[in-house]
Amino acid sequence: HGAIWEWGALLKSTTETVLHISIFNSLLTAAHGLSDEQREFQKVAFDFAANEMAPYMAEWDHKEIFPVETMRKAAQLGFGGIYVQPEVGGSGLSRLDTSVIFEALSTGCVSTTAYISIHNMCAWMIDTFGNTEQREKYCPDLCSMEKFASYCLTEPGSGSDAASLLTTAQLKGDHYILNGSKAFISGGGDTDVYVVMCRTGGKGAKGISCLVVEKGTPGLSFGKKEKKVGWNSQPTRAVIFEDCAVPVANRLGEEGQGFTIAMKGLNGGRINIASCSLGAAHACVQLARDHLLVRKQFGETLSNNQYLQFRLAEMATKLVASRLLVREAATALQENRPDAVSLCSMAKLFVTDECFNICNQALQMHGGYGYLKDYAVQQFVRDIRVHQILEGTNEVMRMIISRSLLTES
Amino acid sequence: MSGRVLVGVKRVIDYAVKIRVKPDHSGVVTDGVKHSMNPFCEIAVEEAVKLKEKKLIKEVVAVSCGPQQVQETIRTALAMGADRGIHVEVSGKDYDNMGPLQVSKIMAALAKKEEAQLVILGKQAIDDDCNQTGQMTAALLDWPQGTFASEVTLEGDKVKVVREIDGGLETIKINTPAVVTADLRLNTPRYATLPNIMKAKKKKIANVKPADLGVDMASRVEVLRVDEPPQRQAGMKVETVEDLVGKLKEAGRI
């Protein structure tokens, strides 16, 4: 029986924490309802996650390593600009394809996948709202991850109330002079291209424009690297503008269009973040299941305990329900349906909440071991906790959904 | 030389799946179980694609024998860089009984038909571990064979093959056309890229029947029964060397 042992041993030695998510129990398989081509995309993403990410996710978290080389490897496979147009280096895939890919990658490392999704969102914004020069200047390098991007909307004084942002951009000749600061910027300080929402006009959303600011621009500096509970494979810093001069040629779209661009970016971003939560939850359900089958107390395996059986069933059910909602939202966004924005908000709200609960319950099922960093389940819990907060808090999601419900036409 | 390489790819149960024997002991459960390309076949495809990238050969043709589902396996080969595929349709009892003899007859017929310069196969499949198809194919064609290859170098109309053998490494030089079988360390198969997966959709897969190739699928082997490996027995601890020798003598081991 030499060959399979040989093969398995070689793989085991390099992938100790491989969860074989892709071949898990057919009830939970993420491949249901996908086309052959989508299953191929998914397979590549699962393989990449198992081989290139899962073995390192604990180290990246512990040592706070931003895994540039690994992300560039992912970009070589087409993961740098998944829904960016091919003529500027993207893969030209759909929102659903993208969701499937991020869900699979997330099983290897949530934090890194989440950053890749933010990078993708920025690349898409430039691709969609940029003119030819801007697209040709930025998109190819972003798609190959020769350069990395950050999305800059939140400020110390404006989180949920994003439209009240204060960073100003005063027009002086053929430059905007930026003053202000952004907070909690993923990748901030280590990335090269900053997509910045700033105020060129009056108050409110209509006064906001979107500028692309390059690292190294005089007047652009960064705060200290934040110490976080999770998402440790990506640095988070404040981004500070002090009389930072940015060419008018770097403005995406028209003056006053910035807020719309930001929100349109976030619709996709919300699906991506929810997809990352899905991957984590799937991994945790498998980890919990495996643990229940092995751990014995009171003379039998935990899997014989009805409470835990029922708990596992609930977790699995919520996982499948979550997946269906995310994929429906992705399809709605792709088709530009009128309900797309609300569906994306619903998906983000429901899925990030449910998947956090799934991961948290999986941790509980591990007992004391669940609290040790030797076990992956705690990292999934820590990493996806923030998905309920960023890209629009789950409270803001409720605002969007209720507004849609109450302003019926 | 035609510059054409034929690569055989087999659809097998994924290496990570826990195999279960059917209740009637006629085989293993395959329904609803994840299948993938045989890992050694992936290595074979990778080697062929590398040769093409080095411009040493012109075309890579991926071949698989089986029912409709093997087209997935051919598509994976296309996504890795193979140029076109050939699906040899085998299903039902013929597929259940298909083994190296039938496949090697098919590969030999195709190698002649396609005027292949090289046939590259995985050294063995992880489901049956036969390690015969490459050797039989070479014999049927009366071609030289370089099996258990850990290194393949094209040198004009010859191939230098470094083989992993029990005693170490053996280097041979064989004339083309030839059959090579890929061993584990030959290369590390690439991930398919998203653009290549999409391009693969447009690549052609031809359908062929064994009868069209003049191949008789009748099996000379009958599987009587399939069982799980015996359960590992508990060991025994002994206190002294004398005890150990005594127990070994009792068990008839010495």
Side-chain angles (χ1 to χ4, degrees):
Chain A
H1 218 47
I4 191 171
W5 178 88
E6 197 176 27
W7 179 255
L10 181 73
L11 279 160
K12 272 220 171 85
S13 67
T14 54
T15 58
E16 275 304 332
T17 54
V18 165
L19 301 176
H20 303 314
I21 297 290
S22 63
I23 54 98
F24 182 36
N25 193 299
S26 59
L27 177 61
L28 292 184
T29 179
H32 275 326
L34 298 181
S35 69
D36 283 344
E37 200 184 44
Q38 283 167 338
R39 286 170 193 232
E40 283 287 333
F41 300 147
Q42 185 179 60
K43 179 182 185 308
V44 177
F46 268 132
D47 287 348
F48 190 85
N51 297 326
E52 310 287 339
M53 297 169 82
Y56 311 106
M57 80 178 224
E59 190 193 356
W60 291 341
D61 171 64
H62 176 64
K63 295 191 181 154
E64 297 186 13
I65 295 172
F66 189 43
V68 169
E69 284 323 307
T70 303
M71 288 192 288
R72 283 189 172 141
K73 265 193 198 162
Q76 271 169 25
L77 303 186
F79 295 154
I82 300 175
Y83 48 110
V84 170
Q85 295 313 302
E87 70 257 22
V88 287
S91 300
L93 299 187
S94 72
R95 300 303 184 135
L96 177 54
D97 300 330
T98 305
S99 168
V100 165
I101 289 167
F102 285 144
E103 181 185 348
L105 285 178
S106 215
T107 59
C109 177
V110 171
S111 169
T112 307
T113 306
Y115 172 73
I116 294 174
S117 79
I118 291 169
H119 175 93
N120 267 261
M121 177 172 68
C122 296
W124 174 83
M125 286 159 74
I126 299 174
D127 180 38
T128 306
F129 297 100
N131 56 34
T132 312
E133 287 83 22
Q134 291 163 335
R135 294 175 72 220
E136 284 174 3
K137 180 174 183 194
Y138 294 112
C139 291
D141 281 346
L142 290 179
C143 291
S144 68
M145 285 186 164
E146 180 63 37
K147 299 215 165 114
F148 291 95
S150 284
Y151 176 93
C152 304
L153 175 64
T154 298
E155 299 181 356
S158 57
S160 294
D161 189 8
S164 69
L165 62 84
L166 294 174
T167 298
T168 52
Q170 254 196 333
L171 185 61
K172 264 209 167 111
D174 60 357
H175 279 72
Y176 288 106
I177 311 299
L178 266 61
N179 276 289
S181 65
K182 297 294 182 183
F184 300 129
I185 302 307
S186 300
D190 286 7
T191 52
D192 312 284
V193 174
Y194 295 81
V195 180
V196 181
M197 273 50 75
C198 47
R199 194 166 299 286
T200 48
K203 278 179 151 185
K206 294 212 167 67
I208 295 171
S209 301
C210 181
L211 296 182
V212 177
V213 183
E214 295 180 42
K215 189 176 185 194
T217 307
L220 173 67
S221 64
F222 306 98
K224 73 175 195 338
K225 186 174 167 191
E226 308 288 5
K227 296 192 211 116
K228 308 191 298 289
V229 166
W231 272 37
N232 288 319
S233 73
Q234 31 167 318
T236 305
R237 293 187 178 90
V239 176
I240 302 156
F241 305 98
E242 291 166 298
D243 290 332
C244 178
V246 177
V248 171
N250 283 21
R251 192 188 67 229
L252 292 185
E254 299 308 314
E255 273 197 11
Q257 202 186 355
F259 197 70
T260 304
I261 295 172
M263 293 305 108
K264 287 200 175 215
L266 282 182
N267 287 330
R270 286 163 188 167
I271 293 174
N272 296 341
I273 285 294
S275 304
C276 292
S277 290
L278 270 182
H282 190 171
C284 286
V285 171
Q286 173 154 4
L287 287 169
R289 173 195 179 268
D290 289 349
H291 183 76
L292 294 184
L293 288 169
V294 162
R295 175 72 177 176
K296 280 186 166 159
Q297 286 288 269
F298 306 110
E300 42 183 18
T301 55
L302 297 186
S303 57
N304 285 338
N305 178 294
Q306 189 180 63
Y307 177 80
L308 294 173
Q309 291 169 351
F310 282 14
R311 236 335 117 71
L312 191 68
E314 288 157 9
M315 286 157 66
T317 305
K318 299 250 169 85
L319 174 66
V320 175
S322 298
R323 184 178 290 138
L324 289 172
L325 183 52
V326 172
R327 291 184 178 180
E328 179 64 16
T331 304
L333 187 62
Q334 184 67 34
E335 294 171 0
N336 234 323
R337 283 179 3 205
D339 59 347
V341 174
S342 299
L343 261 179
C344 290
S345 305
M346 284 178 163
K348 199 269 191 189
L349 166 61
F350 184 84
V351 174
T352 57
D353 277 351
E354 289 304 330
C355 289
F356 179 77
N357 292 338
I358 290 168
C359 293
N360 199 25
Q361 282 168 23
L363 191 159
Q364 183 75 7
M365 284 174 164
H366 278 74
Y369 297 101
Y371 209 58
L372 301 183
K373 285 197 170 174
D374 304 285
Y375 290 74
V377 69
Q378 45 75 40
Q379 188 174 339
F380 285 114
V381 171
R382 288 187 288 110
D383 278 343
I384 69 165
R385 178 62 183 87
V386 73
H387 296 194
Q388 296 169 280
I389 298 170
L390 41 65
E391 304 224 4
T393 59
N394 287 1
E395 289 75 18
V396 168
M397 296 305 103
R398 290 169 168 90
M399 277 165 56
I400 297 171
I401 298 162
S402 57
R403 188 168 52 213
S404 166
L405 289 169
L406 292 169
T407 53
E408 264 290 277
S409 49
Chain B
M1 269 282 116
S2 73
R4 187 171 297 129
V5 174
L6 231 58
V7 181
V9 295
K10 187 179 183 186
R11 180 175 183 266
V12 298
I13 295 179
D14 189 277
Y15 80 89
V17 169
K18 261 216 180 90
I19 307 292
R20 285 177 302 138
V21 174
K22 281 193 198 155
D24 65 2
H25 293 273
S26 63
V28 300
V29 177
T30 53
D31 271 347
V33 168
K34 177 150 207 258
H35 284 63
S36 313
M37 187 188 292
N38 181 41
F40 295 104
C41 298
E42 279 182 6
I43 296 175
V45 173
E46 174 66 25
E47 196 62 19
V49 173
K50 273 166 70 160
L51 288 174
K52 194 179 96 165
E53 285 171 346
K54 288 189 205 151
K55 295 201 177 12
L56 295 170
I57 57 128
K58 294 202 204 89
E59 192 188 26
V60 178
V61 183
V63 179
S64 195
C65 306
Q68 185 63 18
Q69 293 96 310
V70 306
Q71 294 214 358
E72 285 167 22
T73 315
I74 300 174
R75 289 257 168 245
T76 305
L78 296 174
M80 284 174 69
D83 297 293
R84 59 183 166 90
I86 301 176
H87 171 198
V88 182
E89 294 166 8
V90 182
S91 52
K93 273 264 155 261
D94 277 349
Y95 182 59
D96 293 338
N97 297 332
M98 189 175 77
L101 181 61
Q102 292 74 24
V103 175
S104 57
K105 286 177 179 174
I106 291 170
M107 290 303 299
L110 283 173
K112 281 200 210 118
K113 184 162 178 267
E114 296 284 340
E115 294 176 336
Q117 176 179 345
L118 263 186
V119 174
I120 310 183
L121 303 172
K123 73 170 178 181
Q124 68 199 69
I126 60 170
D127 51 6
D128 54 26
D129 277 331
C130 285
N131 188 343
Q132 297 168 355
T133 306
Q135 292 87 338
M136 283 177 168
T137 305
L140 287 166
L141 288 165
D142 197 22
W143 285 6
Q145 57 184 260
T147 54
F148 308 103
S150 65
E151 213 181 292
V152 172
T153 319
L154 256 53
E155 292 176 356
D157 60 354
K158 295 198 203 301
V159 189
K160 187 176 88 174
V161 181
V162 177
R163 307 178 57 230
E164 295 201 359
I165 61 172
D166 289 346
L169 296 174
E170 179 193 55
T171 306
I172 61 173
K173 209 178 241 179
I174 55 181
N175 295 324
T176 51
V179 175
V180 169
T181 72
D183 208 326
L184 191 64
R185 279 157 281 269
L186 178 58
N187 60 50
T188 307
R190 66 194 58 196
Y191 295 107
T193 66
L194 298 183
N196 282 345
I197 291 172
M198 290 186 294
K199 277 189 211 139
K201 253 195 335 195
K202 301 194 186 99
K203 293 180 180 173
K204 287 206 179 358
I205 301 180
N207 293 314
V208 158
K209 291 193 175 50
D212 301 339
L213 301 169
V215 170
D216 159 31
M217 291 302 287
S219 176
R220 276 69 163 163
V221 173
E222 185 195 337
V223 173
L224 298 176
R225 190 184 160 93
V226 175
D227 281 304
E228 296 220 344
Q231 290 281 24
R232 199 179 156 180
Q233 296 302 321
M236 206 188 309
K237 268 187 167 167
V238 293
E239 295 294 308
T240 66
V241 173
E242 286 76 26
D243 283 350
L244 176 61
V245 172
K247 286 270 187 283
L248 286 173
K249 279 196 174 143
E250 251 173 58
R253 298 294 194 216
I254 52 171

